[in-house]
Amino acid sequence: MEVKGQLNNVSTPAEHLLGERIKIKPVNKAAIVAGLTLMVLGLLTVYAFYSFDYKELDLTEALLATFANLKVIFLEPHLEHFSFGHALYQVLITLGLAFLTTLFGAVIAVFFGLLAAENLSSKRVSMMIKGMVAFIRAVPTVLWVLIFAVAAGLGSTAAVIGMTFHSIGYLIKAYSESFEELDRGVIEALQASGANWWQIVFQAVIPSSITYMISWTFLRFEINFAVAVAMGAAAGAGGIGYDMFMASSFYLDMREIGAITYFILAVAILLEILATRIKRKLKAA
């Protein structure tokens, strides 16, 4: 009877696999809140579309006009109010703005990233810096630029300060997480051998994290290039973004908008290719 009871309790391999695949997740407060939030947002979206005043707009005609404009922008690009050389120069200005803000942000973020790493600093200092960084990242870059524009005025100065400020918050998080990957045993061994804090940083922490730091820095450079284009239009920072603003809002030239868009797209593709090659070399090394 005992053997028969044991045989009844033994599950077949198929039943075991089925039990592993079918896992019922418990319903918690977070899942309920997320579901209710999505439901409310869905209902609000439906209500907004239903109650929106379309002013007798013909949707079909509007879509056809939009596709016609896109055809002119992307299939008939043409430079009218400035030359190819001027456009190339403005692209270089935008790249310079992105490079400058990334460089400033990376240099400052290295020091604060070391202080934010829990294995290199006290827990109180680490939590304080991470809290400040979370607040900086929560505010969009455009808002930081506009905040600093109150003191410095609209232009390249406010754009550089605002973009650098947001880059610092982004890179501190990235660097500190890469620094925390270092095993505490290595740090304790160096401390036992008489190494001070700076020797630990330059002999163990930085060399072990340099590949991640370069990867994250270049990723931020790509982000800053896109932001610099927007800042050229929104904050008067110059560069190719300002020319796009003039073409779209002042000259109303869709063909020129298409040409500028292709310039920006070409630079973005080149940056992506360069980033891929750098990552391959770092992995090979």
Side-chain angles (χ1 to χ4, degrees), residues 18 26 31 38 61-62 87 90 104 108 125 144 146 186 206 215 238 245 252 254 268 276:
L18 186 62
L38 291 175
E61 183 179 351
Q90 295 299 323
F104 289 163
I108 298 172
V125 174
W144 282 122
L146 294 178
V186 176
I206 299 295
S215 179
F245 168 75
L252 301 177
M254 289 186 291
T276 304

PDB file of all heavy atoms in Angstrom, residues 18 26 31 38 61-62 87 90 104 108 125 144 146 186 206 215 238 245 252 254 268 276:
ATOM      1  N   LEU A  18       4.896  20.555 -17.665  1.00  0.00           N
ATOM      2  CA  LEU A  18       3.694  21.385 -17.734  1.00  0.00           C
ATOM      3  C   LEU A  18       3.564  22.250 -16.480  1.00  0.00           C
ATOM      4  O   LEU A  18       3.181  23.416 -16.540  1.00  0.00           O
ATOM      5  CB  LEU A  18       2.466  20.495 -17.900  1.00  0.00           C
ATOM      6  CG  LEU A  18       1.133  21.217 -18.133  1.00  0.00           C
ATOM      7  CD1 LEU A  18       1.196  22.019 -19.423  1.00  0.00           C
ATOM      8  CD2 LEU A  18      -0.008  20.222 -18.180  1.00  0.00           C
ATOM      9  N   PRO A  26       1.082  35.641  -8.536  1.00  0.00           N
ATOM     10  CA  PRO A  26       0.132  36.166  -7.541  1.00  0.00           C
ATOM     11  C   PRO A  26      -0.219  37.620  -7.851  1.00  0.00           C
ATOM     12  O   PRO A  26       0.614  38.405  -8.292  1.00  0.00           O
ATOM     13  CB  PRO A  26       0.907  36.043  -6.220  1.00  0.00           C
ATOM     14  CG  PRO A  26       2.353  36.050  -6.620  1.00  0.00           C
ATOM     15  CD  PRO A  26       2.410  35.364  -7.947  1.00  0.00           C
ATOM     16  N   ALA A  31       0.415  45.177  -9.371  1.00  0.00           N
ATOM     17  CA  ALA A  31      -0.248  44.714 -10.594  1.00  0.00           C
ATOM     18  C   ALA A  31      -1.645  45.315 -10.713  1.00  0.00           C
ATOM     19  O   ALA A  31      -2.082  45.700 -11.804  1.00  0.00           O
ATOM     20  CB  ALA A  31      -0.323  43.189 -10.589  1.00  0.00           C
ATOM     21  N   LEU A  38      -3.672  51.596 -16.619  1.00  0.00           N
ATOM     22  CA  LEU A  38      -3.803  51.364 -18.060  1.00  0.00           C
ATOM     23  C   LEU A  38      -5.254  51.456 -18.505  1.00  0.00           C
ATOM     24  O   LEU A  38      -5.558  51.983 -19.580  1.00  0.00           O
ATOM     25  CB  LEU A  38      -3.221  49.992 -18.418  1.00  0.00           C
ATOM     26  CG  LEU A  38      -1.703  49.844 -18.296  1.00  0.00           C
ATOM     27  CD1 LEU A  38      -1.284  48.396 -18.558  1.00  0.00           C
ATOM     28  CD2 LEU A  38      -0.994  50.777 -19.276  1.00  0.00           C
ATOM     29  N   GLU A  61      -8.913  63.396 -46.441  1.00  0.00           N
ATOM     30  CA  GLU A  61      -8.210  64.486 -47.119  1.00  0.00           C
ATOM     31  C   GLU A  61      -6.962  64.912 -46.340  1.00  0.00           C
ATOM     32  O   GLU A  61      -5.916  65.214 -46.934  1.00  0.00           O
ATOM     33  CB  GLU A  61      -9.152  65.676 -47.288  1.00  0.00           C
ATOM     34  CG  GLU A  61      -8.536  66.845 -48.049  1.00  0.00           C
ATOM     35  CD  GLU A  61      -9.514  67.983 -48.202  1.00  0.00           C
ATOM     36  OE1 GLU A  61     -10.702  67.807 -47.870  1.00  0.00           O
ATOM     37  OE2 GLU A  61      -9.080  69.066 -48.661  1.00  0.00           O
ATOM     38  N   ALA A  62      -7.061  64.917 -45.007  1.00  0.00           N
ATOM     39  CA  ALA A  62      -5.912  65.290 -44.184  1.00  0.00           C
ATOM     40  C   ALA A  62      -4.777  64.277 -44.315  1.00  0.00           C
ATOM     41  O   ALA A  62      -3.596  64.650 -44.404  1.00  0.00           O
ATOM     42  CB  ALA A  62      -6.342  65.404 -42.725  1.00  0.00           C
ATOM     43  N   ALA A  87      25.669  73.964 -44.636  1.00  0.00           N
ATOM     44  CA  ALA A  87      24.989  72.888 -43.901  1.00  0.00           C
ATOM     45  C   ALA A  87      25.996  71.981 -43.208  1.00  0.00           C
ATOM     46  O   ALA A  87      25.800  71.581 -42.048  1.00  0.00           O
ATOM     47  CB  ALA A  87      24.113  72.077 -44.855  1.00  0.00           C
ATOM     48  N   GLN A  90      27.304  73.730 -40.140  1.00  0.00           N
ATOM     49  CA  GLN A  90      26.325  73.729 -39.059  1.00  0.00           C
ATOM     50  C   GLN A  90      26.231  72.355 -38.387  1.00  0.00           C
ATOM     51  O   GLN A  90      26.031  72.263 -37.168  1.00  0.00           O
ATOM     52  CB  GLN A  90      24.950  74.156 -39.596  1.00  0.00           C
ATOM     53  CG  GLN A  90      24.885  75.581 -40.103  1.00  0.00           C
ATOM     54  CD  GLN A  90      25.195  76.602 -39.020  1.00  0.00           C
ATOM     55  OE1 GLN A  90      24.822  76.431 -37.870  1.00  0.00           O
ATOM     56  NE2 GLN A  90      25.890  77.661 -39.398  1.00  0.00           N
ATOM     57  N   PHE A 104      32.505  67.411 -20.773  1.00  0.00           N
ATOM     58  CA  PHE A 104      32.334  68.014 -19.447  1.00  0.00           C
ATOM     59  C   PHE A 104      31.574  67.080 -18.509  1.00  0.00           C
ATOM     60  O   PHE A 104      31.960  66.895 -17.347  1.00  0.00           O
ATOM     61  CB  PHE A 104      31.577  69.342 -19.564  1.00  0.00           C
ATOM     62  CG  PHE A 104      32.376  70.455 -20.185  1.00  0.00           C
ATOM     63  CD1 PHE A 104      31.756  71.587 -20.678  1.00  0.00           C
ATOM     64  CD2 PHE A 104      33.753  70.369 -20.279  1.00  0.00           C
ATOM     65  CE1 PHE A 104      32.490  72.619 -21.249  1.00  0.00           C
ATOM     66  CE2 PHE A 104      34.502  71.388 -20.850  1.00  0.00           C
ATOM     67  CZ  PHE A 104      33.872  72.511 -21.339  1.00  0.00           C
ATOM     68  N   ILE A 108      33.219  65.234 -14.933  1.00  0.00           N
ATOM     69  CA  ILE A 108      32.604  65.468 -13.621  1.00  0.00           C
ATOM     70  C   ILE A 108      31.958  64.195 -13.080  1.00  0.00           C
ATOM     71  O   ILE A 108      32.011  63.909 -11.876  1.00  0.00           O
ATOM     72  CB  ILE A 108      31.563  66.602 -13.726  1.00  0.00           C
ATOM     73  CG1 ILE A 108      32.248  67.900 -14.145  1.00  0.00           C
ATOM     74  CG2 ILE A 108      30.832  66.800 -12.399  1.00  0.00           C
ATOM     75  CD1 ILE A 108      31.292  69.040 -14.463  1.00  0.00           C
ATOM     76  N   VAL A 125      26.557  58.687   1.739  1.00  0.00           N
ATOM     77  CA  VAL A 125      26.976  59.530   0.610  1.00  0.00           C
ATOM     78  C   VAL A 125      26.460  58.957  -0.697  1.00  0.00           C
ATOM     79  O   VAL A 125      25.988  59.689  -1.574  1.00  0.00           O
ATOM     80  CB  VAL A 125      28.513  59.658   0.584  1.00  0.00           C
ATOM     81  CG1 VAL A 125      28.971  60.403  -0.666  1.00  0.00           C
ATOM     82  CG2 VAL A 125      29.014  60.369   1.833  1.00  0.00           C
ATOM     83  N   TRP A 144      15.907  71.707 -18.347  1.00  0.00           N
ATOM     84  CA  TRP A 144      17.139  72.192 -17.719  1.00  0.00           C
ATOM     85  C   TRP A 144      17.728  73.349 -18.509  1.00  0.00           C
ATOM     86  O   TRP A 144      18.208  74.329 -17.926  1.00  0.00           O
ATOM     87  CB  TRP A 144      18.155  71.063 -17.601  1.00  0.00           C
ATOM     88  CG  TRP A 144      17.910  70.100 -16.476  1.00  0.00           C
ATOM     89  CD1 TRP A 144      17.732  68.750 -16.566  1.00  0.00           C
ATOM     90  CD2 TRP A 144      17.813  70.407 -15.087  1.00  0.00           C
ATOM     91  NE1 TRP A 144      17.519  68.200 -15.327  1.00  0.00           N
ATOM     92  CE2 TRP A 144      17.571  69.201 -14.396  1.00  0.00           C
ATOM     93  CE3 TRP A 144      17.900  71.593 -14.354  1.00  0.00           C
ATOM     94  CZ2 TRP A 144      17.422  69.140 -13.018  1.00  0.00           C
ATOM     95  CZ3 TRP A 144      17.754  71.535 -12.977  1.00  0.00           C
ATOM     96  CH2 TRP A 144      17.518  70.328 -12.326  1.00  0.00           C
ATOM     97  N   LEU A 146      16.102  75.474 -20.391  1.00  0.00           N
ATOM     98  CA  LEU A 146      15.248  76.647 -20.173  1.00  0.00           C
ATOM     99  C   LEU A 146      15.438  77.219 -18.773  1.00  0.00           C
ATOM    100  O   LEU A 146      15.363  78.441 -18.580  1.00  0.00           O
ATOM    101  CB  LEU A 146      13.780  76.268 -20.397  1.00  0.00           C
ATOM    102  CG  LEU A 146      13.413  75.871 -21.832  1.00  0.00           C
ATOM    103  CD1 LEU A 146      11.953  75.461 -21.914  1.00  0.00           C
ATOM    104  CD2 LEU A 146      13.703  77.014 -22.806  1.00  0.00           C
ATOM    105  N   VAL A 186      38.530  42.193  -3.977  1.00  0.00           N
ATOM    106  CA  VAL A 186      39.694  42.835  -4.596  1.00  0.00           C
ATOM    107  C   VAL A 186      40.034  44.123  -3.853  1.00  0.00           C
ATOM    108  O   VAL A 186      41.210  44.414  -3.579  1.00  0.00           O
ATOM    109  CB  VAL A 186      39.398  43.129  -6.079  1.00  0.00           C
ATOM    110  CG1 VAL A 186      40.553  43.872  -6.717  1.00  0.00           C
ATOM    111  CG2 VAL A 186      39.117  41.838  -6.837  1.00  0.00           C
ATOM    112  N   ILE A 206      39.150  51.761 -12.157  1.00  0.00           N
ATOM    113  CA  ILE A 206      39.110  52.329 -13.509  1.00  0.00           C
ATOM    114  C   ILE A 206      39.519  51.308 -14.569  1.00  0.00           C
ATOM    115  O   ILE A 206      38.817  51.154 -15.586  1.00  0.00           O
ATOM    116  CB  ILE A 206      39.983  53.593 -13.595  1.00  0.00           C
ATOM    117  CG1 ILE A 206      39.470  54.669 -12.628  1.00  0.00           C
ATOM    118  CG2 ILE A 206      40.013  54.126 -15.025  1.00  0.00           C
ATOM    119  CD1 ILE A 206      38.095  55.189 -12.953  1.00  0.00           C
ATOM    120  N   SER A 215      31.836  52.817 -23.486  1.00  0.00           N
ATOM    121  CA  SER A 215      30.582  52.473 -24.163  1.00  0.00           C
ATOM    122  C   SER A 215      29.456  53.399 -23.737  1.00  0.00           C
ATOM    123  O   SER A 215      28.710  53.925 -24.581  1.00  0.00           O
ATOM    124  CB  SER A 215      30.224  51.018 -23.856  1.00  0.00           C
ATOM    125  OG  SER A 215      28.999  50.666 -24.470  1.00  0.00           O
ATOM    126  N   GLY A 238      22.122  77.391 -32.094  1.00  0.00           N
ATOM    127  CA  GLY A 238      22.824  77.341 -33.366  1.00  0.00           C
ATOM    128  C   GLY A 238      22.938  75.926 -33.895  1.00  0.00           C
ATOM    129  O   GLY A 238      22.350  74.977 -33.372  1.00  0.00           O
ATOM    130  N   PHE A 245      14.832  74.855 -37.929  1.00  0.00           N
ATOM    131  CA  PHE A 245      13.778  75.712 -37.384  1.00  0.00           C
ATOM    132  C   PHE A 245      13.437  76.834 -38.371  1.00  0.00           C
ATOM    133  O   PHE A 245      12.259  77.144 -38.599  1.00  0.00           O
ATOM    134  CB  PHE A 245      14.237  76.292 -36.050  1.00  0.00           C
ATOM    135  CG  PHE A 245      13.367  77.392 -35.538  1.00  0.00           C
ATOM    136  CD1 PHE A 245      12.120  77.116 -34.990  1.00  0.00           C
ATOM    137  CD2 PHE A 245      13.783  78.719 -35.588  1.00  0.00           C
ATOM    138  CE1 PHE A 245      11.307  78.131 -34.512  1.00  0.00           C
ATOM    139  CE2 PHE A 245      12.983  79.736 -35.118  1.00  0.00           C
ATOM    140  CZ  PHE A 245      11.741  79.450 -34.586  1.00  0.00           C
ATOM    141  N   LEU A 252       9.224  78.159 -44.479  1.00  0.00           N
ATOM    142  CA  LEU A 252       8.161  77.215 -44.833  1.00  0.00           C
ATOM    143  C   LEU A 252       8.547  76.415 -46.085  1.00  0.00           C
ATOM    144  O   LEU A 252       7.745  76.214 -46.987  1.00  0.00           O
ATOM    145  CB  LEU A 252       6.834  77.955 -45.057  1.00  0.00           C
ATOM    146  CG  LEU A 252       6.299  78.772 -43.874  1.00  0.00           C
ATOM    147  CD1 LEU A 252       5.029  79.510 -44.269  1.00  0.00           C
ATOM    148  CD2 LEU A 252       6.070  77.874 -42.678  1.00  0.00           C
ATOM    149  N   MET A 254       9.533  72.924 -47.325  1.00  0.00           N
ATOM    150  CA  MET A 254       9.555  71.506 -46.974  1.00  0.00           C
ATOM    151  C   MET A 254      10.714  70.773 -47.645  1.00  0.00           C
ATOM    152  O   MET A 254      11.246  69.816 -47.091  1.00  0.00           O
ATOM    153  CB  MET A 254       8.224  70.859 -47.340  1.00  0.00           C
ATOM    154  CG  MET A 254       7.073  71.290 -46.444  1.00  0.00           C
ATOM    155  SD  MET A 254       5.556  70.392 -46.774  1.00  0.00           S
ATOM    156  CE  MET A 254       5.138  71.036 -48.397  1.00  0.00           C
ATOM    157  N   ALA A 268      23.949  60.600 -37.936  1.00  0.00           N
ATOM    158  CA  ALA A 268      23.521  59.604 -36.955  1.00  0.00           C
ATOM    159  C   ALA A 268      23.975  58.197 -37.359  1.00  0.00           C
ATOM    160  O   ALA A 268      24.422  57.408 -36.517  1.00  0.00           O
ATOM    161  CB  ALA A 268      22.004  59.650 -36.799  1.00  0.00           C
ATOM    162  N   THR A 276      29.693  51.057 -33.133  1.00  0.00           N
ATOM    163  CA  THR A 276      29.777  49.601 -33.298  1.00  0.00           C
ATOM    164  C   THR A 276      31.215  49.137 -33.411  1.00  0.00           C
ATOM    165  O   THR A 276      31.615  48.130 -32.813  1.00  0.00           O
ATOM    166  CB  THR A 276      28.978  49.176 -34.542  1.00  0.00           C
ATOM    167  OG1 THR A 276      27.626  49.630 -34.427  1.00  0.00           O
ATOM    168  CG2 THR A 276      28.991  47.660 -34.687  1.00  0.00           C
TER     169      THR A 276
END
